[in-house]
Amino acid sequence: MSQRDAPSADVVPLREATRAWFLISLQTFGGPAGQIAVMQRTLVEERRWIGQQRFLFALSYCTLLPGPEAQQLATYVGWLLNGVRGALVAGILFVLPGVVTLLALSALYVGYGETTLLEGLFLGLAGAVVAIVVQAVTRLSRKALRHPALVGLALASFVALSVFGVPFPVVVLAAGVLGWALGTRLPGLGAAPPPLADDGPAPLIGDEALHTERPSTARSLRVLGLGLLLWAAPVAVAAVLAGRDSVFVDQGLFFGGTAVITFGGAYAVLAFVAQQAVNVYGWLAPGEMVRGLALAETTPGPLVMVVQFVAFVGAYRDPGTLDPWLAAVLAALLTTWVTFVPCFVFILLGAPYVERLRGNRALRTALTGITAAVVGVIASLAVYFAVHTLFTDTVRVDRGPLALELPVPASLDPAALAVTALGLLLVLGRGWPVLRTLGVCAVAGVVVHLLAG
């Protein structure tokens, strides 16, 4: 076995890398773009542990995967620097502050969410979230819809979800197939965007010194087998102790399945999660999903952490034989576990094969189709949040193939409309960052709610 084929030793001391990842974890606000920017600044520009192109190479692989790409990028770079131990340290620290913070905020919401102050606070945050999701649609559409065929695919996805109620996984699968089919007729459809002209400062650690392992069937089976065991074990234990019909098993299976179809970031899957959590399982009331997203926007870590809020509230209201608070905490932690374990498996399983995956044109064109569909998916999420934020009453239309929810015009909330308009002005008109917009809208929501009361 050559030196290149053997696993490398730590290229930076693990203790030093752990400190760096902890500091990064405290700055991971503002969604994936901000999180990736923090890692870029810390790892590429300041510490110079990895080169610009190697960083982008790792990012390109992570964008192919379901799940939060920023957390997976941290896991992948941790693997490059310190092997499996580095991957676990980087990936866990990336989400840990968000887990703790959102757990506390979820408890605050359950305990005090009906107070006048918090009602006004959520009024403001909900309006800001609508504006932030609209901003996500506009930004992603500029990057993803580079061809009229992709625009058509995005519109078709929006209509399928918002008007005909087609399940989210079906939309993603169909988009992948259509993207592949379009790629065979339009050769440039799946072309990668041009690389950045500025490669950044030269790294202190050369590419040849980074961790590597020879891909093998035996290694892949070990990683996959252990990953599946760890992923499923808590749900199996919950089924034995609490019963197969308990909220823990329902949430473990649902969010575990959702974790492997979350292409395109958290916004892309939240419409599906909201629909299932409200209409199928009854874990949340219609307007509560946007409140959970508002809380997740204010915490560090991946935005998909909002599923922890859903699990907490749902288990608190249906605790079975347990104390509601204990059930809520256990459900939140179980959901976080089944959501993020696949992220580690994807990285540790696929990293040795990354060169092959990156050169696969068929896979690239399929994912181009999925990315275009994600624009329509996020647009449907924006509509869902807007309807349940701006209107207090809705009516469900289920006639033939139609399956949509329409607002009752007379139930328009002027206060919510005013705060949402403020949020749109700040993020779209003034280009304000997410946290500043959330803060201003939160204050405005409290003021408007007190004046209206």
Side-chain angles (χ1 to χ4, degrees):
M1 181 180 291
S2 69
Q3 183 179 3
R4 183 64 183 161
D5 293 333
S8 307
D10 292 342
V11 296
V12 296
L14 183 61
R15 179 175 296 181
E16 184 179 353
T18 301
R19 285 197 296 267
W21 289 116
F22 177 72
L23 292 174
I24 288 173
S25 73
L26 300 179
Q27 306 173 60
T28 52
F29 293 92
Q35 293 158 4
I36 293 168
V38 168
M39 286 187 280
Q40 155 84 23
R41 185 182 68 247
T42 303
L43 301 171
V44 177
E45 299 173 8
E46 296 177 356
R47 297 183 181 267
R48 296 168 60 193
W49 284 346
I50 187 171
Q52 178 70 77
Q53 289 304 314
R54 196 68 187 89
F55 183 82
L56 294 176
F57 180 77
L59 177 59
S60 70
Y61 170 60
C62 295
T63 58
L64 301 177
L65 301 173
E69 66 267 30
Q71 188 269 348
Q72 290 168 331
L73 176 61
T75 305
Y76 186 79
V77 176
W79 180 81
L80 289 174
L81 297 175
N82 299 96
V84 174
R85 295 182 305 163
L88 295 176
V89 167
I92 291 171
L93 285 179
F94 195 88
V95 301
L96 190 58
V99 171
V100 174
T101 305
L102 192 55
L103 200 62
L105 290 176
S106 299
L108 183 66
Y109 173 77
V110 168
Y112 302 98
E114 299 303 321
T115 63
T116 300
L117 178 62
L118 284 183
E119 285 180 352
L121 183 68
F122 281 116
L123 170 67
L125 291 177
V129 165
V130 173
I132 291 166
V133 177
V134 171
Q135 180 191 47
V137 175
T138 59
R139 285 183 172 179
L140 183 58
S141 62
R142 288 196 295 265
K143 296 179 181 179
L145 306 183
R146 305 186 306 271
H147 190 279
L150 298 178
V151 175
L153 190 53
L155 290 173
S157 300
F158 173 80
V159 172
L161 286 165
S162 300
V163 179
F164 298 108
V166 178
F168 172 77
V170 174
V171 172
V172 170
L173 179 61
V177 173
L178 288 173
W180 169 80
L182 289 170
T184 61
R185 296 179 177 273
L186 304 169
L189 192 69
L196 296 179
D198 182 10
D199 288 344
L204 298 176
I205 301 166
D207 284 353
E208 69 282 353
L210 296 174
H211 181 86
T212 185
E213 292 183 48
R214 176 190 288 273
S216 68
T217 302
R219 178 191 178 278
S220 298
L221 289 176
R222 286 197 302 271
V223 172
L224 185 60
L226 180 60
L228 290 175
L229 178 63
L230 292 173
W231 190 33
V235 182
V237 171
V240 172
L241 297 180
R244 288 181 294 179
D245 296 330
S246 68
V247 67
F248 306 105
V249 174
D250 287 342
Q251 291 180 349
L253 294 176
F254 173 68
F255 290 115
T258 302
V260 298
I261 61 170
T262 315
F263 290 95
Y267 286 128
V269 78
L270 287 184
F272 172 65
V273 170
Q275 190 271 336
Q276 296 291 308
V278 174
N279 299 326
V280 176
Y281 294 103
W283 295 328
L284 300 179
E288 287 185 311
M289 188 66 189
V290 70
R291 296 183 174 187
L293 184 59
L295 293 179
E297 290 275 14
T298 65
T299 61
L303 191 59
V304 75
M305 199 72 74
V306 68
V307 299
Q308 180 182 309
F309 169 84
V310 177
F312 189 100
V313 176
Y316 181 86
R317 293 171 178 170
D318 182 20
T321 59
L322 296 180
D323 175 80
W325 289 104
L326 176 61
V329 172
L330 291 176
L333 296 178
L334 173 65
T335 294
T336 302
W337 179 270
V338 299
T339 297
F340 286 100
V341 165
C343 298
F344 292 95
V345 175
F346 290 142
I347 296 300
L348 296 176
L349 180 65
Y353 299 96
V354 65
E355 292 289 346
R356 300 180 188 182
L357 281 175
R358 188 171 182 183
N360 189 310
R361 183 178 177 277
L363 179 61
R364 192 166 61 245
T365 55
L367 287 167
T368 298
I370 291 175
T371 302
V374 161
V375 177
V377 173
I378 299 175
S380 73
L381 177 69
V383 171
Y384 178 89
F385 281 167
V387 166
H388 289 287
T389 297
L390 302 178
F391 299 88
T392 57
D393 294 316
T394 62
V395 59
R396 186 77 186 173
V397 177
D398 290 298
R399 297 175 185 172
L402 298 179
L404 67 159
E405 194 169 14
L406 298 176
V408 176
S411 68
L412 177 66
D413 185 345
L417 179 62
V419 176
T420 302
L422 174 63
L424 289 169
L425 173 65
L426 295 179
V427 297
L428 296 181
R430 304 294 298 273
W432 278 27
V434 168
L435 286 180
R436 189 191 300 177
T437 301
L438 287 167
V440 171
C441 287
V443 173
V446 171
V447 172
V448 169
H449 187 70
L450 291 176
L451 291 176

